[in-house]
Amino acid sequence: MAVFAHVVTFMQFVRAVNPRYSRFRTSSLAPLVAVLNDPAGTTLQVVAEIAGIRGLPDAVYVNKANKYKKALHYLQRMYPVPRAQWVPLYAQRARAVRYTQAAMPLAFNPLGPGMYNQTHRIHPVCQWEGAPNPLSVEDFIYTTAGAVGVVMIHLTSTPNGIYERVDGMRVVDHMKSVLTAIEYRNGGVCALNIGAAPLCPDLQAEFNLCANMLVIEPGARHMGGVHAAFNTFVTGFATIVVMGFDADICVRANLFGTAEHVAGSAVGASSVAPLTTQADVITSRAMLVTVGQVSGVEYGLIQGL
C-alpha cells in the first residue's frame, strides 16, 4: 500500500494532545508512524500497532490508545481499516454500558418526588456484553451493523461538569468524539433542550455536521417522551446513545422514567415511556454530566461511580 495519504492530519491530531511528540524521547506511536510512512505498510501492520498501543499504560489517560483516541479513530476510518478489524479504543471509566430494551410495564407509574422507583425498575443494567473485551461508545457506533441515533439531554447552556476529565479527556471532548462517529455512520442526533439554542457552543459545530432533529421541551418537564416527534426519532433506531445533563436528574428521568404522564391520561394511570422501553440504550460515565454522584442504584454497574 502507498504511504498513508492523510498522515499530516493524523499527526495534527497526535500533537494536539502531545505537543512534544518525539521531541525529547521516542514516542510509543513511532512504530505506527513508521508503518504509515512505509510504501510497503499493510492494514495488518496498522491494526497490530494500534493493538500494541492500547496495551501501553498512561498515567493520565489510563492507556496510550485512549490518549490518542481521536487520532487513532481517524486513522482507522481513513487508512482504511475494515470495520471487522477495528481495534477497540477505550479506558476504564469511558467503557460503554448497555441497557437492553425492556417492555413497558402496564400502568407504569414511577413514584415522586424521586426519579427512580426500585419496585417498578425497568430492567437490570449490565456492563457491556462481551467483557472482558468492553467497548467505548465510539467503538460501538463505528462497528455495529445497526442504525444508531443520539439523544443529547439539556446541553443547551454550558453545564457544570462538562469540563470534568474522565480518563484524561474532558466530558465535552468525549461527546464530540461520539458526534464525529455518528456523522461518519450517517446516524441521527436529537437535542432535547430547554433554551433558545439546541446546544452549548462547545458542541454546536459537531452537531451541525450530523443529521438532526431538534425537540424543544416545554415548561418544567424532564422527559422527551411527551413529544410525538421525539418518540418517532428514538424508535427509528436500533440503538440510542444517551448523553447529557444532569445525570442524576434529567438524564436519569429520560432513561428510567419519572412521574410525568401521557397527555389526557389520569394521573397514576400512564407514565411517559422511558427511553429504555423504546430502544436499546448505550451510555457511559464519560457522557454523563453532573456535579452530583452517578448513582449505582439507578445506573447499575457503570464504571467510575
Side-chain angles (χ1 to χ4, degrees), residues 2 11 14 22 50 62 86 97 107 109 111 140 143-144 146-148 156 161 166 175 178 221-222 248 250 273 277:
M11 293 308 302
V14 168
S22 284
I50 296 175
V62 181
W86 275 50
V97 173
N109 182 30
L111 303 179
F140 174 82
T143 59
T144 187
V148 184
T156 300
V166 177
M175 291 180 173
V178 165
R221 287 183 180 268
H222 294 283
D248 59 350
C250 303
T277 67

Side-chain angles (χ1 to χ4, degrees), residues 78-271:
M78 301 300 293
Y79 194 75
V81 176
R83 187 184 300 180
Q85 296 180 38
W86 275 50
V87 179
L89 307 175
Y90 62 87
Q92 184 177 14
R93 296 179 71 211
R95 290 177 177 178
V97 173
R98 183 174 192 158
Y99 304 81
T100 304
Q101 183 179 2
M104 179 76 169
L106 294 175
F108 179 65
N109 182 30
L111 303 179
M115 299 296 166
Y116 180 78
N117 183 309
Q118 293 189 51
T119 304
H120 299 288
R121 185 171 184 170
I122 294 298
H123 64 84
V125 58
C126 61
Q127 193 176 22
W128 184 261
E129 289 90 343
N133 296 305
L135 300 175
S136 69
V137 173
E138 300 97 311
D139 292 331
F140 174 82
I141 295 170
Y142 281 122
T143 59
T144 187
V148 184
V150 172
V151 170
M152 309 182 74
I153 299 171
H154 299 179
L155 293 168
T156 300
S157 59
T158 303
N160 292 333
I162 201 169
Y163 299 131
E164 178 184 349
R165 292 187 179 271
V166 177
D167 291 330
M169 286 178 62
R170 301 181 307 173
V171 170
V172 67
D173 293 322
H174 284 288
M175 291 180 173
K176 289 181 179 182
S177 183
V178 165
L179 291 175
T180 298
I182 287 292
E183 178 202 356
Y184 176 76
R185 290 296 311 278
N186 295 314
V189 182
C190 175
L192 178 62
N193 74 66
I194 50 176
L199 290 172
C200 60
D202 293 270
L203 295 167
Q204 193 67 57
E206 286 77 10
F207 177 82
N208 288 343
L209 294 175
C210 302
N212 66 79
M213 180 191 69
L214 173 63
V215 176
I216 297 176
E217 178 183 292
R221 287 183 180 268
H222 294 283
M223 297 180 69
V226 299
H227 299 280
F230 179 88
N231 296 323
T232 299
F233 176 87
V234 299
T235 55
F237 294 92
T239 305
I240 291 292
V241 172
V242 171
M243 50 192 184
F245 174 83
D246 186 324
D248 59 350
I249 301 176
C250 303
V251 177
R252 180 174 60 177
N254 277 278
L255 284 175
F256 305 115
T258 187
E260 294 181 357
H261 302 276
V262 176
S265 68
V267 173
S270 179
S271 175

Side-chain angles (χ1 to χ4, degrees), residues 1-6 34-46 75 77-82:
M1 188 169 181
V3 171
F4 180 47
H6 305 284
V35 172
L36 299 181
N37 286 311
D38 183 355
T42 67
T43 298
L44 289 177
Q45 288 177 301
V46 170
L75 174 60
R77 293 196 306 267
M78 301 300 293
Y79 194 75
V81 176

Side-chain angles (χ1 to χ4, degrees), residues 20-40:
R20 297 181 296 177
Y21 171 80
S22 284
R23 186 177 300 175
F24 303 110
R25 60 181 180 180
T26 302
S27 169
S28 56
L29 265 62
L32 171 61
V33 174
V35 172
L36 299 181
N37 286 311
D38 183 355

